[in-house]
Every structure is written in structure tokens, then in C-alpha cells.
Amino acid sequence: AQTVTQSQPEMSVQEAETVTLSCTYDTSESDYYLFWYKQPPSRQMILVIRQEAYKQQNATENRFSVNFQKAAKSFSLKISDSQLGDAAMYFCAYRSVSVISGLTFGEGTQLTVNP
Amino acid sequence: SQTIHQWPATLVQPVGSPLSLECTVEGTSNPNLYWYRQAAGRGLQLLFYSVGIGQISSEVPQNLSASRPQDRQFILSSKKLLLSDSGFYLCAWSGGTVNNEQFFGPGTRLTVL
């Protein structure tokens, strides 16, 4: 079974600064998908960014980018130019290639953005 | 466009009472459907998933059950709630292509007293 570990329960960043959230995972599969989800106080789960394991290039979505290290099984999220609206719980998630596969989540990192 | 609804938004139930949470998806056909539970301050745990009407797979043995009576309807049930069933329940759907993301509903907050 796959596991996802987020070792930082809480992180804080100053507005306009950059912050990196860590995620490691364990799997015996060679192909899979990795995700970062954001959960604001409304508790709605919002997809931030997605990475396919077969792609060597790190995914980027505007101010959000990942550092995907497949051999190390590491998948960190970098948020540049942090905004107050980025404050939320961030979850790293793993999904097998199977179409019907559910997501395996980490325990989350609570991000605070200080003005 | 596709939307996903969950009902009710909040629920307070006594121990031993039954439970029925509903999830409906609009704007798509034959979705894969999922039930997750989130304990306070924790990550999400997959409970059930379904690839079609009447087809339910359970990920975690527990006090809960799921049913899919219609293509776009997914129901989470219990005959007798336990205190440990308290949590935030999220329904999600995904399309048929391999790399589709899962789209989450607004969730139901369940408190068992």
C-alpha cells in the first residue's frame, strides 16, 4: 500500500515571500500521479497542481511549482509571492494509474500567511 | 459544466441512530464516485468508491456502507452510528480518462453525540 508523509504540520510565510511545503511518499509502482490540494476554511478541496510520474519536467501553475524527485520519492510544493489568500491547509496526495484509483492523502500542512 | 452536491451540509446525530448522506453529480455521465472521511485536523481517508450503478468497493472495514442506486447518485449509510463516525465526509467524482483529477463536493460535517 502507498503512504504519503507530510512532516510539517504547520508553516508560516510573510506575504510576498516564498515558502516550500514538503511531501514524501512510498510506493512500489513505477507510474502514478501526485497532487497538491488546498483546503481553505470553507473546507472545499481545491486542486493546486498535478504531476505525472513519467514526466521529468516539474509542473508549474502560475505562482505554484513542484520539485519532483522520483528516485527520492519526494514531491515538494513551492509557493512564490505568497498572498493572504494562500492561507489554508495543504494536502499532498498520491494516485495510482488505475482509472478507478482513489487518492491517498498526507496529513496536511497548515500554511499561515502573515501580512 | 459539472457540479457535485452533498446533502445535508451539517448533521448532528445521537449514537445508535441511522445515517444517510447523499451525493449527486450533474453534467456528466458514468462518473467514478468516491466517499472520503476527514477526521478533525487530519488528512482524507478513502472509504468507498464506485465505477457504476450497484458497484461498490470498500477500502476500510467499518460501520458504514455505500450504495449507488442511480448513475450520478452515491449514498453513504449506517444502521447505527458510533462516536468514532464523527467527521467531515467528502464525496468526489472523476471522469473516465486516466489522468482526470477528482472533483470534490462541499462536504458534510457529521457530529455524533
Side-chain angles (χ1 to χ4, degrees):
Chain A
Q2 297 81 21
T3 59
V4 177
T5 302
Q6 294 179 249
S7 59
Q8 307 154 315
E10 299 177 349
M11 291 283 285
S12 63
V13 63
Q14 291 296 125
E15 194 175 4
E17 297 295 309
T18 296
V19 65
T20 298
L21 308 183
S22 300
C23 172
T24 58
Y25 58 94
D26 188 28
T27 183
S28 59
E29 300 175 332
S30 60
D31 201 9
Y32 46 86
Y33 299 97
L34 296 166
F35 305 85
W36 278 98
Y37 279 87
K38 169 184 177 181
Q39 188 179 43
S42 67
R43 304 197 77 172
Q44 177 72 51
M45 293 293 286
I46 302 166
L47 179 67
V48 174
I49 199 164
R50 170 177 55 216
Q51 176 78 44
E52 291 88 347
Y54 65 87
K55 290 185 178 179
Q56 293 185 341
Q57 185 175 5
N58 290 325
T60 299
E61 288 288 342
N62 300 314
R63 298 183 294 107
F64 299 87
S65 61
V66 299
N67 183 6
F68 173 50
Q69 301 290 328
K70 190 173 183 179
K73 296 180 181 176
S74 171
F75 182 61
S76 61
L77 174 69
K78 185 172 80 171
I79 306 174
S80 304
D81 185 25
S82 297
Q83 300 176 359
L84 295 177
D86 295 332
M89 181 73 87
Y90 285 81
F91 291 99
C92 179
Y94 173 104
R95 176 180 171 176
S96 296
V97 172
S98 166
V99 173
I100 61 174
S101 174
L103 294 165
T104 300
F105 284 86
E107 291 296 300
T109 297
Q110 181 67 50
L111 177 66
T112 301
V113 181
N114 300 310
Chain B
S1 64
Q2 301 88 4
T3 56
I4 179 168
H5 304 278
Q6 287 188 243
W7 185 89
T10 61
L11 188 62
V12 180
Q13 290 286 93
V15 169
S17 64
L19 173 73
S20 181
L21 303 182
E22 184 172 338
C23 170
T24 58
V25 181
E26 297 177 354
T28 188
S29 60
N30 196 31
N32 299 317
L33 296 172
Y34 308 84
W35 277 112
Y36 292 87
R37 176 168 59 198
Q38 184 179 27
R42 305 292 297 277
L44 280 69
Q45 179 186 37
L46 179 64
L47 301 177
F48 301 95
Y49 65 90
S50 172
V51 300
I53 295 174
Q55 301 179 62
I56 309 295
S57 296
S58 174
E59 288 291 303
V60 181
Q62 59 214 314
N63 184 42
L64 303 170
S65 62
S67 62
R68 185 169 176 175
Q70 300 181 42
D71 181 47
R72 291 170 289 176
Q73 184 184 32
F74 204 23
I75 296 173
L76 185 68
S77 303
S78 174
K79 293 182 179 178
K80 289 186 177 182
L81 283 169
L82 306 172
L83 287 174
S84 58
D85 292 324
S86 293
F88 190 62
Y89 289 82
L90 286 148
C91 181
W93 74 272
S94 69
T97 57
V98 174
N99 60 355
N100 267 10
E101 66 180 271
Q102 291 186 11
F103 300 90
F104 286 84
T108 294
R109 181 186 299 277
L110 171 66
T111 303
V112 183
L113 301 175

